[in-house]
Amino acid sequence: MRSYELLPLVTLFAPQTLARVEMPRVRPGSAAAPRTLLLRGEEIAALRQSLPGAAGPLKEGYEELVRRAESALAEPLFTPTGKTVLPEGAEPRDYVSFAKYWHPDSSTTDGLPYVQRDGEVNPDIYDEDKTDVVRFERFSDVVFLLSFAFALTDDARFGERAAEQLRSWFVSEETSQTPHFRFAQMVRGSKQGRFIGLIEARRYVYLLDAEALLAGAPFWSEADRKAFRKWFERFFNWLRTGRYGQRAVEKDNNIGMWYDAQSAIYALYLGETELAEKIVRDSVANRVPQQIEADGAMPNELDRARPYDYVAFNLLAMMALGRAGDAVGFDAWWSEDEDGRSFKRAMDWMLAVLGSEDASGALDLAAEAARLRKENSELAARVETLIRQKAALSADQDGLKRASKEQAGTIEALRAQLAAERETALAEQEKRTAIEARARRVPELEEERDYLSGKMARLNARLEAALHLEADLKSARQELAETRKQLETAKAALTRAQSANQELAAERDALNVQLAERAQEAEAIRQSTSWKVTAPIRAASRLVKR
């Protein structure tokens, strides 16, 4: 357990230690009390007022705190960009860590895939060229220590350095961490982290208190506070909506408890009081019966290879939830379920084990008892399952008997149906056979179709020629009719001409006769008359001849 995780524990659950020091009373929420979330601000204010002239343990603790803060001033500015080797897909500002209990497989040439050995820490997780674990732990320790020292001493050196560290990790565009933990708790050979890595983000809840201790100082500006808050807004949104958070909330061990604790504290910091209260109430209602036995033991943590660490670790999350409950007016620490389970009961169990003569043996015994209870519970569950399965099997047997009778009639009906379907199938087969026979004639029919198509084309051509011939014949007939009409007209005209010629000939003959007669008469007259008398007669004769 880190030192910064012990401080809240002492502050929250060891009031008897502070009671031995005569301190002034400071009301919660007073101007003198810092607005911290985990630490009790009124106790910090009271402690600060008691330090002048302090003696004994309080003086010794104060001097040790200052000595450590002086050493922390020499620490470099921490940033996740200190890595020199990055996993695939990660950026320099991404937080990266490796799974704690996963080791290379000695049976493979490249050690992949890694295998899990609970309780055995892989030293590679502390490689600062590849991971941020050590950097982040040191950063958290240093910032909390410097901020706490500044709050008690008013020494600006401590506060200024704490502010510089916070700006380096959360504010600077070049060095600040990206607000997610997607590459936390990676197992070698994979390209992403695991949701379990959210447990490493728990250090943020203490850094929120460290930032609160700097509030109002000239070296921690309003712009710094806004940028710091903006970072946590983005991180909280990723935590609540991303798939890592959705998986972590389902775990029934310290992973789930710490997810609730972080979410409640972040919600309080961001002013989402109603959400914080809902998270705390839901956590008490769900986590207490899931994780705590009636006597206060935590079987899911005792089942681990290092049970003490995990029990204490889970209690820290409960403490944070208790403080969040205090902030929203809900007593999460003392709230019990119907069997008396509570966060307080879990702490009492732990204190009872630690207070025994053989604490280590008692803890081992408790872990063994928890393991046996878990096995008994699993065995009881299996027996209950077998009983239910037996009852279900008996019911199934009775059902099968009834079903067999019903199925006998169904089988006969199916047989009849099958026979009918068989007949239908045979008929269909005959149809298919006929279709296949017709299909085999397709080439022959296609050839005949091509022949008939050609013949049809030739007939169409002849028909077209005949149609043209008929049109020509019709035109010729019309011309012939017209010619006939003209011929008849010509014949009639010829007949009339012939008749007129005959008439003219007759008239000519008559005139010739007349002329002859008149000629004779004229000859006679000529002979009897003079030349002047016969001259007109000769002229008339010439005219008739014409």
Side-chain angles (χ1 to χ4, degrees):
M1 188 184 302
R2 308 299 299 178
S3 60
Y4 65 88
E5 291 179 325
L6 282 171
L7 284 170
L9 181 63
V10 172
T11 305
L12 291 171
F13 298 102
Q16 64 274 17
T17 302
L18 295 178
R20 288 182 293 176
V21 179
E22 186 175 350
M23 296 190 301
R25 297 179 62 82
V26 178
R27 293 193 309 274
S30 68
R35 301 176 65 83
T36 48
L37 298 171
L38 293 177
L39 299 176
R40 297 183 186 276
E42 64 274 14
E43 291 186 359
I44 295 175
L47 184 60
R48 183 167 51 205
Q49 294 179 25
S50 302
L51 287 175
L58 184 58
K59 181 181 180 182
E60 294 173 1
Y62 174 74
E63 291 173 349
E64 177 64 19
L65 174 67
V66 172
R67 185 187 65 78
R68 293 191 180 190
E70 291 284 354
S71 298
L73 289 173
E75 292 284 355
L77 290 179
F78 295 102
T79 168
T81 59
K83 302 179 293 296
T84 58
V85 180
L86 292 174
E88 182 179 348
E91 298 179 358
R93 295 192 302 122
D94 291 337
Y95 178 89
V96 176
S97 66
F98 295 145
K100 192 174 184 178
Y101 300 133
W102 289 76
H103 301 260
D105 186 348
S106 58
S107 64
T108 62
T109 56
D110 59 359
L112 299 177
Y114 270 35
V115 294
Q116 185 178 21
R117 295 199 291 270
D118 193 24
E120 297 183 30
V121 177
N122 185 339
D124 286 349
I125 70 170
Y126 302 119
D127 186 344
E128 294 189 55
D129 288 332
K130 299 177 181 178
T131 77
D132 294 301
V133 171
V134 174
R135 252 185 304 276
F136 190 36
E137 287 185 356
R138 289 171 59 198
F139 164 70
S140 304
D141 279 346
V142 166
V143 172
F144 190 90
L145 179 61
L146 289 172
S147 297
F148 196 67
F150 168 70
L152 296 184
T153 66
D154 269 339
D155 189 331
R157 294 178 304 143
F158 300 145
E160 288 174 355
R161 191 57 175 173
E164 290 173 356
Q165 293 284 7
L166 289 176
R167 278 192 288 270
S168 176
W169 197 278
F170 293 106
V171 178
S172 170
E173 294 183 359
E174 291 77 21
T175 63
S176 62
Q177 180 195 336
T178 47
H180 63 72
F181 264 62
R182 289 193 298 112
F183 297 99
Q185 288 273 340
M186 296 183 68
V187 175
R188 294 295 184 88
S190 67
K191 295 183 180 180
Q192 58 185 355
R194 301 181 301 156
F195 72 94
I196 295 174
L198 293 179
I199 202 72
E200 296 177 14
R202 71 187 184 279
R203 298 179 177 90
Y204 289 148
V205 300
Y206 306 118
L207 292 173
L208 290 177
D209 269 6
E211 191 271 344
L213 294 175
L214 302 180
F219 42 76
W220 185 242
S221 68
E222 185 63 24
D224 291 331
R225 298 207 75 186
K226 287 182 179 180
F228 184 81
R229 179 187 177 89
K230 184 65 177 179
W231 192 97
F232 274 94
E233 287 177 353
R234 295 171 61 193
F235 177 72
F236 189 42
N237 179 67
W238 176 82
L239 181 71
R240 294 281 291 173
T241 61
R243 60 188 179 90
Y244 282 15
Q246 292 170 3
R247 292 194 62 188
V249 75
E250 298 174 355
K251 297 296 290 183
D252 60 355
N253 57 5
N254 64 85
I255 301 297
M257 191 74 78
W258 266 110
Y259 175 83
D260 290 351
Q262 289 188 69
S263 297
I265 295 299
Y266 300 148
L268 282 175
Y269 170 70
L270 296 172
E272 299 184 35
T273 307
E274 292 183 0
L275 175 59
E277 181 176 357
K278 182 180 185 305
I279 293 171
V280 175
R281 288 185 180 275
D282 289 348
S283 184
V284 171
N286 299 323
R287 305 291 183 193
V288 167
Q290 281 180 346
Q291 300 192 31
I292 303 174
E293 296 288 339
D295 63 351
M298 289 175 274
N300 292 339
E301 310 308 326
L302 289 169
D303 194 39
R304 300 299 298 270
R306 300 165 65 181
Y308 169 77
D309 288 352
Y310 284 94
V311 169
F313 192 51
N314 211 28
L315 281 170
L316 280 172
M318 296 179 195
M319 295 173 195
L321 283 165
R323 287 293 291 135
D326 292 344
V328 297
F330 173 62
D331 194 352
W333 188 253
W334 290 87
S335 294
E336 296 182 347
D337 70 353
E338 58 185 9
D339 295 325
R341 299 179 177 93
S342 67
F343 291 167
K344 172 75 166 53
R345 180 67 60 86
M347 175 60 78
D348 290 343
W349 179 90
M350 183 65 167
L351 292 175
V353 170
L354 295 177
S356 62
E357 293 183 359
D358 183 8
S360 178
L363 190 62
D364 292 341
L365 184 61
E368 180 65 18
R371 186 183 62 79
L372 291 175
R373 281 198 299 270
K374 185 176 181 180
E375 290 180 357
N376 288 337
S377 178
E378 292 174 351
L379 182 60
R382 289 177 60 190
V383 170
E384 184 66 25
T385 300
L386 289 174
I387 292 174
R388 287 196 299 270
Q389 290 176 347
K390 181 179 179 182
L393 182 60
S394 299
D396 290 343
Q397 288 176 343
D398 295 337
L400 286 173
K401 290 178 181 179
R402 291 192 300 270
S404 63
K405 294 181 181 179
E406 296 174 356
Q407 287 176 354
T410 304
I411 290 172
E412 291 300 323
L414 289 174
R415 285 176 178 171
Q417 182 180 354
L418 182 61
E421 291 178 354
R422 183 179 179 185
E423 292 296 328
T424 302
L426 290 174
E428 292 293 331
Q429 182 63 38
E430 291 178 357
K431 289 182 181 179
R432 284 196 296 271
T433 302
I435 291 171
E436 290 172 356
R438 292 173 63 185
R440 286 193 294 272
R441 290 192 58 203
V442 166
E444 179 182 348
L445 292 174
E446 288 179 346
E447 182 178 355
E448 183 176 354
R449 180 196 62 192
D450 294 340
Y451 169 75
L452 291 176
S453 296
K455 187 175 182 179
M456 180 64 72
R458 292 190 295 274
L459 288 174
N460 285 334
R462 293 175 63 186
L463 178 61
E464 185 70 21
L467 290 175
H468 285 298
L469 182 61
E470 183 179 3
D472 294 342
L473 182 60
K474 184 177 180 180
S475 178
R477 284 174 179 172
Q478 290 176 349
E479 291 178 0
L480 181 60
E482 291 293 329
T483 302
R484 283 178 179 174
K485 288 181 181 180
Q486 293 175 1
L487 183 60
E488 289 297 329
T489 302
K491 285 181 178 180
L494 181 60
T495 301
R496 287 193 301 271
Q498 288 176 350
S499 177
N501 287 334
Q502 289 176 358
E503 290 177 356
L504 289 173
E507 290 180 359
R508 185 188 64 192
D509 290 341
L511 286 174
N512 288 332
V513 172
Q514 291 177 0
L515 287 174
E517 289 176 351
R518 289 179 178 178
Q520 290 175 1
E521 290 177 357
E523 184 65 29
I525 292 170
R526 181 183 60 84
Q527 293 176 0
S528 62
T529 64
S530 63
W531 172 250
K532 292 181 181 180
V533 175
T534 59
I537 295 173
R538 288 194 297 271
S541 178
R542 287 192 302 270
L543 178 64
V544 170
K545 287 179 180 179
R546 288 177 185 167

